[in-house]
Amino acid sequence: MWGQQPIRSWSEAKSVFGGTAWGQELGKREYPHPAQPQEASLPHTPALPLVCHQELVSPHGCCLSRVLAARVLAYTPCPHQAHCDMHVDSDWMVGKEPSLDFDRSAGNGIGGHQQWMLQAHDDIFHMGTEDKLDRLQLGQYSGRRVSAGGQAQAASAKDPQAAELLLSCPLVLLDTPAGDVFWASGLANNQVSYMDGGHSFLGCRLELVLSSWCCSNCGQVDLNGPRPQGCTSGTGRDFRPGAPRMAALRVAPWAAVAAVRSGSLPLDRCRRAPCSASAVVMDAVPRWLAGLRFDNRALRELPVEALPGPEDAAALWTPRPVPGACFSRARPAPLREPRLVALSEPALALLGLAPPTDAANAETWEAEAARFFSGNALLPGAEPAAHCYCGHQFGQFAGQLGDGAAMYLGEVCPAAGGRWELQLKGAGPTPFSRQADGRKVLRSSIREFLCSEAMFHLGIPTTRAGACVTSACTVVRDIFYDGNPKQEKCTVVLRIAPTFLRFGSFEIFKSADPLTGREGPSVGRNDIRAQMLDYVIGSFYPEIQAAHAEDSQRRNAAFFREVTRRTARMVAEWQCVGFCHGVLNTDNMSIVGLTIDYGPFGFLDRYDPDHVCNASDSGGRYSYSKQPEVCKWNLRKLAEALVPELPLEVGMAVLAEEFDTEFQRHYLQKMRQKLGLVRVELEEDSALVARLLETMHVTGADFTNTFCLLSTFRTGSSSPEQAAFLEQLLQQCASLEELRRALQPQMDPRQLSMMLMLAQSNPQLLALVGSQASLARELERREQHSRLEQLSPAELDDRNRAHWTQWLQEYSARLEKDTGVSNPETWQAEHVRIMHANNPKYVLRNYIAQNAIEAAENGDFSEVRRVLKLLEAPYCQEEPQGAEEPQGTTGQRGSYSSRPPLWAAELCVT
């Protein structure tokens, strides 16, 4: 590479770079007179000043810049002899299509004054053509017209001396001072040709060079090294778009180019991440966050993929298999104009953080949170990495998955005790991003942020969310996969948990799957499996490690037993608040029994055991009623993944012994509390709960509000009081219109007819186009819809009244048994207290989240923050201020504790 030793002739260039073609001919027509490249003596010192560079913030808070330079190794004289004034285009700093300009006043070292323009397009980085920044990829696009941009000086025919050019990306379009636009017409045998209606413009051979990163304050270039003594932060504030900024950068960055050319500094080649920010980052030294102390045990005790050296920085983003490692190094891609959407003070308190209460400091705190929790700057001690895991998705082994849109930052150990892993979700690409961009959008990030905190305050084991930060960067998303994509804002969520390891973390060792043929990237590495078990048990199950320190198999069995119990209790809690996860793949199951990875989740409105919250789950695999069964299936896959450290027969025996028993025990205990059965436990309680759910199903009762309302039911009350209560209960039932909408047939009649014929004649073929279960559901739906069509509203009301009257009689009799010989007033007080503590008044219904999302997409984050405060007190029986939904087009406000509006049923989440 010529960064190590100068190339002085065309023949030397050919010997170094070879004669293979770099691109394809994309021009309008053949170049009429191919020029013979003239040998050029290349200068040792740069002749032109820097006018464009890359800039970012180092992990130590310094403002770094890097030179991107291209050398003209040979050229054909340009026929145009016009002269133009030079100017600086500042659009580069805001991420628009930039112009690369050269300052004429500093170009006197080059003979002659022939000029041409170079126009660089930032959008190339979003189109997947940035694979080789060390080679110019000319000719990637043809026919694109651009306006006249900046200008550069080059050698004239009378003085054939090569010039040095500064480029920002592989795509180069040439423009004359007269405004004529030229395209790359061919790139073969290391020669570039340009044309304008047959007039030869330029033929040259270029090579792009990336210098090492250079700190504009202290000159350091090692991103991974210690922060230099005396190097202060905030240097970026000296650089502004325009002439003053350009003048300030003419010395230090060129020193880096000179060092590269002399061979004293290595070349760093990297792939630029989508939506990265060239904008200036101010003061990158934390103030409010300075007290966070990192101790990154996971990266010490688990294998991390080794990168050969800094020249392999591209590996931080390059998708690839990652064998023999649990983590790969990563680096957040900065965002333009990060802006705080909301903070969760209870979650941040886990880290020992307390946001300032005074308005003067609150703005500074929010700006700092936006900067560091977006990934635009790294906290001292943070070590970004991406976790490698596999998973069974919808029942099929998918092979390597990994953190494609999340990054481990490190583990914070607050003074109050504990250890919390910090993770940025949506911070940019990692080696596990596959063909995706590593970004999350405002819509999905608000949902995850709010639901993480809502679940915690409901008392359900969950990961936490400390902050939600959006930006001016956008990505394209097709929300419903219907061919209607739109631009959405890139957003990052700060997630907090003891660990984000999951069942799929142990599936990286899986051998080739008999159905999919896929295997884990670390198949056969039993040593890493044992190492991971030691780490997980020692870190998160220390009592098990202490009890079985001398017997690893007993220890591993005890570990699997505890994971099984925690998972059973977690899913029982879900069922008792009507929560549907939506994507219960093995890679979305926490190894410490937490609810993790909030995607197309949902809370039940109208009770329906077959409710599917994920519109992508056409087969209903992850429906509400199937969640316990699926969690047990996932535990079976975990047991398989632990072999041979835990024999499969031992794991299966533990699963059979523990899961169903623990789930039923915890579920029934929770349901007794929801019904206020506080003194006596009877075998008949399970049947009472089942009949309640059946009554709720046939009447279409609202799940959350029905349980909440039952706390006001009184045994032995007068007939008028009971009648009034029954009327309140009937108001929580679905109307005839709602039921008809909900039970609309989903299959086309011709499709249904075909499936019915296949079910009789060729069941095997039916399995390829559908399933017996989906066919049965459709037939039942049609039958129910047909019955509803024959009902009147009054008949529906009478039917619902009969169902609820019968169940309330059973419930009243059971409550009398629970009272026993106790003081009635004492029992009643305890009964109501227990019911209020176990029946939430507020859950994150989809329409509540949607209201917050729509406001935020319009720049108003107040609804997100208001909903967050509401969800922090879900069991509050008093109507807190702000509990009403935003005023709609009707001019009316409804309470967020009321039944959802009709339009809520039309919301679709994928």
Side-chain angles (χ1 to χ4, degrees), residues 71 257 503 665 721 823:
R71 170 166 297 186
V257 172
F503 290 9
R665 183 194 66 78
E721 290 177 338
N823 182 297

Side-chain angles (χ1 to χ4, degrees), residues 270-329:
C270 76
R271 170 185 169 195
R272 181 172 173 179
C275 259
S276 63
S278 296
V280 175
V281 178
M282 300 178 67
D283 192 1
V285 172
R287 178 184 173 190
W288 303 104
L289 304 177
L292 295 180
R293 297 291 177 262
F294 283 85
D295 177 38
N296 306 326
R297 181 194 293 171
L299 299 187
R300 290 199 309 271
E301 299 191 13
L302 295 175
V304 180
E305 183 189 29
L307 297 180
E311 66 275 10
D312 291 310
L316 296 175
W317 293 292
T318 304
R320 64 187 181 279
V322 179
C326 297
F327 288 92
S328 289
R329 299 290 180 180

Side-chain angles (χ1 to χ4, degrees), residues 433-486:
S433 297
R434 289 167 284 178
Q435 302 304 313
D437 51 31
R439 292 298 189 190
K440 294 298 178 182
V441 298
L442 185 59
R443 165 179 46 86
S444 61
S445 298
I446 286 175
R447 284 174 54 83
E448 169 140 10
F449 174 75
L450 289 176
C451 198
S452 298
E453 292 307 283
M455 292 288 275
F456 169 76
H457 292 289
L458 285 170
I460 299 173
T462 178
T463 58
R464 304 294 299 277
C468 181
V469 181
T470 192
S471 72
C473 286
T474 60
V475 289
V476 177
R477 293 291 186 267
D478 187 349
I479 303 175
F480 304 115
Y481 307 105
D482 59 358
N484 294 297
K486 71 172 187 176

